[in-house]
């Protein structure tokens, strides 16, 4: 049975989203943070990427740099934390595993949100939403909001209402809200609040007299398709109650994979960037192999700081591979094509690779003389398995396996313990 056919059998779609996910994950193991303004910083403790409600009330904006906030942190009682990706990933998996108990159809949309197919009478669906909300708080320790509606787009909108209107108490079902109240709420929200509508599209919609969600709901879907795209037409139909976006069992990016990070200490040598490119290429190989994908194009890039007026260098190169592959050796050699464009002595603060034109493995088997031996022997998967068991940096091919290389790892000076993934950082409970 096709997924759209399955979706037609579903009465409602629930959208569950963790509130201020990174900050909530930190509070789950450190209750002392409750009620305090908390921000979680980006890579290398750069800027605020998550703000607790208390931090938002202080006027701290998304993306505000830490060096500007730090002087007033003590005055505000502001707690800043480095990104604890190991903890967040584990908390996310616990939330998704818990939500999977409530529906046979679960789509993990991102690290902190998911869609579920749900059935039941109106009162039953509201009770189910409240039950999921309470279960996430009780069993995982994080607060969530739940939106329930006939379509994904409306479910996302209901979740936004549930989060921003205390009267809903964290759970909102579309059909349970009176029509007059729904129309009033949609009339107050700009179209930029709709799932998938960004700033540029908002300006184009404003140019034809569509300013609020209510305006877009009244629009003709065919006219919207002609002026914009079939995707925007689906959005209008979804807002009008017609399901157009099916629930997917698994979302795997099939357009591109990107491995990129800024460095704690700038890299000034070709040798240093060679090691970075080698590590990222082999990480890409492992990820491709894990999802049975191959890439036909690899792009490598690096860059200096935009705040450094004395040095401006942003080299990049695009390599079309001989054939679709996930071979770590071929990908590493392709990534090294960036090195001739790098200047010795220049302070590079960021680098990465991107693989595109992804295709399922085995679609086109190469002639024997053109086969990739490392790919056939599963070297990419082997590297990933060893790294999972013994830690990142425990194994690598060529320059990716060199120890004691340049200090380009991420800076996380305010990192909280990785409570659930490292034995020596497990929380201790003492009985009084």
């Amino acid at each position: 049975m096709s997924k759209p056919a399955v979706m037609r059998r579903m009465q409602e779609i629930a959208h569950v989203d963790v509130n201020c996910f990174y900050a909530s994950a930190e509070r789950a193991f450190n209750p002392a943070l409750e009620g305090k303004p908390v921000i979680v910083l980006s890579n290398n403790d750069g800027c605020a990427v998550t703000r607790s409600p208390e931090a938002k009330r202080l006027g701290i904006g998304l993306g505000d740099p830490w060096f500007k906030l730090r002087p007033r942190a003590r005055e505000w009682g502001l707690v800043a934390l480095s990104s604890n990706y190991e903890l967040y990933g584990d908390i996310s998996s616990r939330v998704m595993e818990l939500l999977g108990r409530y529906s046979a159809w679960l789509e993990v949309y991102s690290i902190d949100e998911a869609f579920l197919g749900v059935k039941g009478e109106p009162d039953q669906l509201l009770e189910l939403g409240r039950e999921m909300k309470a279960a996430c708080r009780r069993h995982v320790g994080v607060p969530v909001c739940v939106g329930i509606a006939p379509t994904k787009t409306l479910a996302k909108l209901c979740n936004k209402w549930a989060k921003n209107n205390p009267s809903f108490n964290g759970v909102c079902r579309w059909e349970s809200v009176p029509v007059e109240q729904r129309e009033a709420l949609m009339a107050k929200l700009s179209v930029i609040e709709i799932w998938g509508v960004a700033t540029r599209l908002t300006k184009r919609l404003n140019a034809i007299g569509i300013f609020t969600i209510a305006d877009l709901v009244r629009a003709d879907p065919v006219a919207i398709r002609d002026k914009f795209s079939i995707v925007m037409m689906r959005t209008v139909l979804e807002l009008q109650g017609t399901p157009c976006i099916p629930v997917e069992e698994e979302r795997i990016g099939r357009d591109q994979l990107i491995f990129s990070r800024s460095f704690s200490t700038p890299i000034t040598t070709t040798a240093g960037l060679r090691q970075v490119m080698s590590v990222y290429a082999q990480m890409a190989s492992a990820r491709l192999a894990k999802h049975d994908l191959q890439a036909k194009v690899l792009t490598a890039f690096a860059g200096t700081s935009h705040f450094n007026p004395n040095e401006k260098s942003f080299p990049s190169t695009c390599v079309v591979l001989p054939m679709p592959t996930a071979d770590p050796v071929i990908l590493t050699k392709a990534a090294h094509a960036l090195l001739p464009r790098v200047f010795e002595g220049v302070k590079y603060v960021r680098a990465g690779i991107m693989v595109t034109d992804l295709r399922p493995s085995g679609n086109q088997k190469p002639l024997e003389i053109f086969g990739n031996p490392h790919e056939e022997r599963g070297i990419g998967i082997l590297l990933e398995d060893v790294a999972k068991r013994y830690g990142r940096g425990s194994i690598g091919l060529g320059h990716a396996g060199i120890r004691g290389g340049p200090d380009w790892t991420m800076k996380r000076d305010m990192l909280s313990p990785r409570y659930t993934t490292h034995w020596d950082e497990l929380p201790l409970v003492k009985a009084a």
Side-chain angles (χ1 to χ4, degrees):
M1 184 180 295
S2 66
K3 289 178 184 174
V6 170
M7 186 176 175
R8 284 195 293 271
R9 291 170 48 199
M10 295 178 180
Q11 294 182 8
E12 305 277 349
I13 293 176
H15 176 252
V16 183
D17 183 28
V18 183
N19 303 339
C20 303
F21 176 60
Y22 288 179
S24 295
E26 298 283 357
R27 284 173 167 175
F29 285 91
N30 186 359
L33 296 177
E34 292 286 352
K36 294 183 178 179
V38 177
I39 60 172
V40 177
L41 303 174
S42 62
N43 293 345
N44 294 314
D45 297 340
C47 59
V49 293
T50 293
R51 303 153 296 153
S52 69
E54 297 82 2
K56 293 177 183 178
R57 287 196 288 270
L58 288 173
I60 296 174
L62 190 65
D64 283 358
W66 171 235
F67 75 87
K68 289 186 177 180
L69 299 173
R70 182 166 46 200
R72 301 193 64 186
R74 179 172 295 183
E75 172 191 344
W76 291 334
L78 178 65
V79 178
L81 297 167
S82 302
S83 295
N84 191 338
Y85 297 117
E86 296 90 335
L87 174 65
Y88 308 152
D90 187 65
I91 293 293
S92 174
S93 66
R94 293 178 186 224
V95 171
M96 301 311 165
E97 189 277 331
L98 179 61
L99 293 177
R101 304 177 190 178
Y102 293 91
S103 175
W105 298 99
L106 171 71
E107 175 188 335
V108 179
Y109 185 73
S110 68
I111 192 172
D112 63 344
E113 59 181 318
F115 291 101
L116 300 85
V118 294
K119 294 182 179 181
E121 298 298 323
D123 291 343
Q124 293 175 330
L125 290 175
L126 277 174
E127 183 57 34
L128 178 64
R130 297 186 186 108
E131 186 178 337
M132 288 190 290
K133 176 176 178 287
C136 288
R137 185 63 167 173
R138 177 179 176 82
H139 299 297
V140 186
V142 294
V144 304
C145 285
V146 183
I148 303 173
T151 71
K152 277 185 167 183
T153 304
L154 287 177
K156 289 271 286 188
L157 181 59
C158 284
N159 194 300
K160 187 180 294 291
W161 288 346
K163 189 171 295 185
N164 297 319
N165 292 271
S167 61
F168 290 114
N169 196 26
V171 179
C172 174
R173 179 177 173 270
W174 177 259
E175 299 291 349
S176 299
V177 182
V179 175
E180 298 79 9
Q181 186 179 357
R182 293 201 308 247
E183 292 178 350
L185 287 168
M186 289 190 292
K188 292 179 180 178
L189 290 177
S190 165
V191 287
I192 200 171
E193 301 291 341
I194 299 173
W195 181 32
V197 177
T199 304
R200 184 177 300 177
L201 186 54
T202 297
K203 292 179 180 178
R204 292 181 61 195
L205 288 167
N206 292 166
I208 62 172
I210 296 177
F211 296 93
T212 68
I213 297 177
D215 294 335
L216 190 58
V217 171
R218 291 190 290 266
D220 178 9
V222 176
I224 291 295
R225 179 199 63 190
D226 294 340
K227 288 182 178 293
F228 297 93
S229 67
I230 188 68
V231 174
M232 198 61 210
M233 175 184 176
R234 289 176 186 150
T235 297
V236 175
L237 289 171
E238 288 247 325
L239 287 171
Q240 294 174 350
T242 301
C244 298
I245 308 173
V247 174
E248 303 174 13
E249 295 181 59
E250 184 177 10
R251 297 182 77 255
I252 299 173
R254 297 194 179 271
D255 296 326
Q256 63 184 24
L257 287 175
I258 301 176
F259 293 86
S260 175
R261 186 171 293 171
S262 52
F263 311 133
S264 58
T265 301
I267 293 178
T268 59
T269 65
T270 302
L273 280 175
R274 180 180 286 109
Q275 184 178 12
V276 174
M277 292 291 106
S278 300
V279 171
Y280 287 168
Q282 289 167 40
M283 290 172 64
S285 170
R287 185 71 59 82
L288 289 169
K290 177 181 177 181
H291 294 301
D292 291 321
L293 294 173
Q294 296 176 322
K296 188 68 170 65
V297 179
L298 182 144
T299 302
F301 54 90
T304 54
S305 172
H306 291 283
F307 299 101
N308 183 352
N310 301 319
E311 295 178 333
K312 296 291 183 182
S313 178
F314 302 94
S316 66
T317 186
C318 182
V319 179
V320 179
L321 304 172
M323 64 189 71
T325 183
D327 187 330
V329 174
I330 292 178
L331 295 178
T332 300
K333 289 180 178 178
H336 288 176
L338 176 73
L339 301 178
R341 303 171 184 264
V342 170
F343 298 102
E344 287 281 341
V346 171
K347 296 180 180 179
Y348 292 98
V349 298
R350 189 176 185 86
I353 69 166
M354 176 173 64
V355 289
T356 54
D357 194 359
L358 307 187
R359 311 172 186 188
S361 301
N363 270 13
Q364 184 178 355
K365 189 172 180 62
L367 296 175
E368 186 174 348
I369 60 173
F370 297 111
N372 300 324
H374 303 98
E375 201 162 25
E376 293 172 0
R377 296 171 185 171
I379 300 299
I381 296 178
L382 175 63
L383 292 173
E384 180 68 9
D385 290 344
V386 172
K388 281 184 178 179
R389 184 169 182 178
Y390 297 105
R392 296 291 174 187
S394 59
I395 189 172
L397 299 178
H399 291 273
I402 295 176
R403 292 184 179 274
D407 182 18
W408 55 273
T409 54
M410 185 167 52
K411 175 184 177 182
R412 295 193 288 182
D413 290 341
M414 294 169 282
L415 182 67
S416 57
R418 294 159 293 185
Y419 298 102
T420 62
T421 58
H422 287 65
W423 284 107
D424 56 347
E425 297 180 26
L426 291 177
L428 298 178
V429 178
K430 298 180 180 180

